[in-house]
Amino acid sequence: MPAPNIDTIVSLAKRRGFIFPSSEVYGGLGSAWDYGPLGVELCNNVKQSWWRWLVYERDDVEGIDSSIILNRLVWQYSGHEATFHDPLVDCRECKSRMRADKLEGYFPEGDQRAEFDANARLRAGLVKCAECGSTNLTDERHFNMMFRTMLGAAADENDPSALAYLRPETAQGIFINFLNVQTTMRRKIPFGIAQVGKSFRNEITPGNFILRTREFEQMEMEYFVRPDAEHLKLVDEWVELYLEWFKGLGIDAANLKLHEVPQEELAHYSKRTVDIMYRYFPERPEEERQWEELMGIAYRTDFDLRSHSSKPTDAEGNRINPDSTEDLSYFDETTKQRYYPHVIEPAAGVNRTVLAVLMDAYSEKTNDKGETRVILKLSPQLAPIKAAILPLAKNKPEIVGMAKAIKRSLQPVLRAVYDDTGGIGKLYARQDEIGTPMCITVDHQSLEDEAVTVRDRDTWEQERVKVSDLAEHLQKRLKPYPNPLPEPV
Ligand code: GAP
């Protein structure tokens, strides 16, 4: 049973130290969230799982960490300055500001996006406000979603030479480093470059907790292949691999589905994109409104490497990029050909993965007293804490000493905590609610038999284990940890 809605997770996340509304002491900041002690562990575990899976376990992927602020020209030649915008409209009745292309009536039925005049439709009253249903809307304006900043203390606000952007995707940092990585690591096509890090978009309508925020984290990989590779098949292969990875994180396949992005909605760089969707809104009665994008897998062609290269020319023979000083082409020793590699790009969001994982792990169980308890059935590899060591009598120094010693001995092997802040029932309930797979109780008997009680989060079953066997026992029980691995392509 996954969470019935996102609000259930918002409340659990705040109550238990996963995620807090940001800047609360000043009344908050719309759609910004801070990750607390357990949230940062969960995010790190998601990122580590991804990094291990791609960079360590495969033999054809390297990792990098590029700057968030890049030369403005990167965004000019990537196409983001000209095309990374959303159409914005205001409702004259209720004063709401919205993305026009998400409104009922915006697209003519069965028509292609390029073939219609949106403002004519808006003026004719064919488009409806999402808030109040009025058709009294303004013309659309294009709003570039990149956050602007000025470089240098003395820079004038209007000086175009000082203008810079916070990156709206991590991908461009990979493209501009393609040759650096390829030559220094002596890589041959096909190979991939992975990067995880923050991206920023001035979203018109952020919302739904951490699903759509202006600051978020991405896990992106650009997989470089030969121009004649079977690109569309490769997209499907990466889709399958990611489905397995998500399932390995504990997400039920029933809550995942694929969405082939229609041609007219493709990003400017994409020839094909398949989105993996998660059921973030199970409470919505219409099945098709329950889903939202978790990640996308795009075939980006050679668009980016070409755009950033100094040599390619247009139909008139003019260089398409007169500012670049490098040619990002690749010489293929096997075919003796020089070309711009094509790219398959799986692009996932850390925050959306975390939300999907939390929603899917949520469950409720009734105890002997008829009380409902929340159990967060997180996969052991993702659980912020793997084992909690709980003394049965906190006023008995020998028991407390033994419990603390066990915590210290487990720490090098797995993340463990010591907790004596309540009665045992309360302590178990708290650990169940934050997803700790194992609780270890030290009692009076432990002082005599050098054994402890190990309690399982999901079944509440208990067993007695010798302290000397504890680390090995826990590691076995915590499988799959550190990571279940899908087969590489
Ligand atoms: N480089 C390609 C790219 O950035 P995208 O579909 O725009 O593609 C990839 O973004 C993923 O990043 C999304 O599937 C989503 O998981 C995450 N993402 C994008 N915008 C987001 C936002 N405003 N808030 C949270 N996550 C976001």
Side-chain angles (χ1 to χ4, degrees):
M1 179 192 75
N5 49 43
I6 290 181
D7 285 347
T8 307
I9 299 299
V10 177
S11 134
L12 170 72
K14 180 164 188 206
R15 192 170 70 244
R16 287 303 185 202
F18 281 92
I19 303 168
F20 310 119
S22 182
S23 315
E24 252 189 323
V25 294
Y26 291 109
L29 172 69
S31 302
W33 301 89
D34 295 339
Y35 289 76
L38 301 182
V40 65
E41 296 289 347
L42 178 56
C43 282
N44 284 343
N45 291 342
V46 165
K47 290 185 277 186
Q48 274 167 22
S49 163
W50 181 79
W51 193 263
R52 261 197 319 263
W53 169 48
L54 286 180
V55 181
Y56 294 179
E57 299 296 335
R58 293 182 62 100
D59 295 325
D60 58 354
V61 179
E62 301 283 356
I64 64 161
D65 184 18
S66 71
S67 306
I68 285 176
I69 298 176
L70 303 171
N71 190 314
R72 179 189 165 189
L73 291 169
V74 171
W75 306 109
Q76 190 174 318
Y77 287 103
S78 68
H80 283 81
E81 264 196 354
T83 62
F84 196 62
H85 43 58
D86 278 341
L88 180 77
V89 287
D90 290 304
C91 174
R92 292 195 186 95
E93 302 295 331
C94 71
K95 311 294 174 215
S96 304
R97 178 161 287 182
M98 297 150 288
R99 263 183 73 170
D101 59 343
K102 297 281 174 199
L103 300 181
E104 193 184 323
Y106 180 82
F107 291 107
E109 241 165 71
D111 225 332
Q112 292 288 302
R113 192 173 187 165
E115 291 169 9
F116 73 95
D117 179 349
N119 282 336
R121 294 182 66 77
L122 282 156
R123 282 176 218 155
L126 297 172
V127 189
K128 260 193 183 171
C129 169
E131 292 301 320
C132 71
S134 163
T135 55
N136 188 8
L137 305 178
T138 61
D139 277 5
E140 69 176 19
R141 300 176 307 288
H142 286 284
F143 171 74
N144 194 297
M145 289 198 293
M146 285 195 290
F147 276 99
R148 297 152 67 98
T149 187
M150 310 308 290
L151 298 186
D156 184 281
E157 255 195 41
N158 300 313
D159 177 0
S161 65
L163 177 61
Y165 302 103
L166 302 187
R167 67 180 175 201
E169 62 169 10
T170 58
Q172 295 303 322
I174 296 179
F175 292 123
I176 57 172
N177 278 294
F178 165 70
L179 266 196
N180 287 334
V181 175
Q182 188 265 317
T183 51
T184 53
M185 307 313 284
R186 298 159 167 265
R187 281 291 178 180
K188 290 196 177 15
I189 298 287
F191 76 95
I193 305 178
Q195 164 154 240
V196 51
K198 290 248 171 158
S199 290
F200 303 82
R201 295 181 191 176
N202 206 352
E203 298 277 1
I204 298 169
T205 43
N208 289 316
F209 191 34
I210 54 173
L211 188 69
R212 180 165 289 103
T213 49
R214 296 194 170 102
E215 172 181 345
F216 55 97
E217 230 171 339
Q218 291 185 306
M219 302 175 280
E220 296 199 288
M221 205 261 300
E222 308 303 323
Y223 195 69
F224 300 94
V225 299
R226 286 167 50 173
D228 60 357
E230 290 186 84
H231 307 111
L232 302 188
K233 208 171 132 199
L234 277 167
V235 169
D236 293 326
E237 284 177 15
W238 279 104
V239 166
E240 286 308 314
L241 285 174
Y242 267 81
L243 284 174
E244 288 307 308
W245 183 66
F246 286 124
K247 286 190 246 161
L249 296 185
I251 298 177
D252 187 342
N255 292 325
L256 296 168
K257 78 166 187 182
L258 303 182
H259 169 66
E260 183 83 41
V261 177
Q263 286 294 315
E264 63 272 22
E265 288 176 28
L266 289 176
H268 62 278
Y269 50 73
S270 174
K271 272 253 163 63
R272 182 188 178 203
T273 299
V274 177
D275 287 340
I276 298 183
M277 316 285 281
Y278 178 76
R279 199 192 299 271
Y280 289 105
F281 303 98
E283 77 280 14
R284 291 183 177 166
E286 312 86 348
E287 150 85 23
E288 73 276 13
R289 289 186 59 240
Q290 296 177 351
W291 305 87
E292 180 61 74
E293 175 188 331
L294 169 58
M295 72 166 298
I297 293 112
Y299 167 39
R300 279 184 92 126
T301 69
D302 56 357
F303 174 84
D304 301 271
L305 289 183
R306 252 180 201 283
S307 308
H308 291 306
S309 286
S310 56
K311 285 194 178 156
T313 51
D314 60 18
E316 278 86 49
N318 299 316
R319 281 171 60 190
I320 61 169
N321 186 339
D323 294 302
S324 170
T325 57
E326 296 242 9
D327 186 53
L328 301 176
S329 62
Y330 167 84
F331 183 73
D332 194 324
E333 294 287 352
T334 42
T335 62
K336 303 289 178 221
Q337 281 173 326
R338 180 167 286 283
Y339 55 75
Y340 296 98
H342 283 227
V343 169
I344 311 297
E345 176 196 68
V350 174
N351 319 78
R352 287 190 191 184
T353 304
V354 163
L355 181 55
V357 155
L358 283 171
M359 289 189 75
D360 238 79
Y362 184 91
S363 69
E364 289 176 3
K365 189 169 173 170
T366 308
N367 67 12
D368 300 342
K369 296 179 200 149
E371 300 158 338
T372 304
R373 290 281 167 80
V374 171
I375 306 180
L376 205 53
K377 293 189 171 177
L378 287 173
S379 147
Q381 61 166 325
L382 297 185
I385 294 162
K386 313 298 180 200
I389 325 301
L390 316 172
L392 214 54
K394 71 172 176 185
N395 48 9
K396 186 107 180 161
E398 298 93 319
I399 291 182
V400 167
M402 186 173 176
K404 287 186 173 171
I406 290 174
K407 188 261 166 196
R408 277 195 302 276
S409 73
L410 289 176
Q411 198 55 70
V413 186
L414 46 86
R415 174 81 206 278
V417 294
Y418 168 87
D419 192 2
D420 65 6
T421 56
I424 193 68
K426 228 171 154 188
L427 294 179
Y428 280 154
R430 180 173 192 280
Q431 295 301 331
D432 286 347
E433 211 174 357
I434 63 172
T436 306
M438 297 287 155
C439 283
I440 290 132
T441 314
V442 182
D443 51 26
H444 292 90
Q445 180 76 19
S446 306
L447 299 174
E448 282 155 33
D449 64 3
E450 282 285 310
V452 288
T453 303
V454 176
R455 171 189 176 273
D456 182 277
R457 173 195 68 197
D458 300 341
T459 62
W460 292 352
E461 276 168 15
Q462 306 195 354
E463 59 186 320
R464 208 68 189 162
V465 178
K466 284 272 170 211
V467 174
S468 53
D469 300 336
L470 191 58
E472 202 187 327
H473 176 87
L474 291 179
Q475 278 179 305
K476 268 193 206 141
R477 296 287 306 271
L478 289 172
K479 274 187 179 155
Y481 173 73
N483 203 12
L485 295 169
E487 288 298 311
V489 269

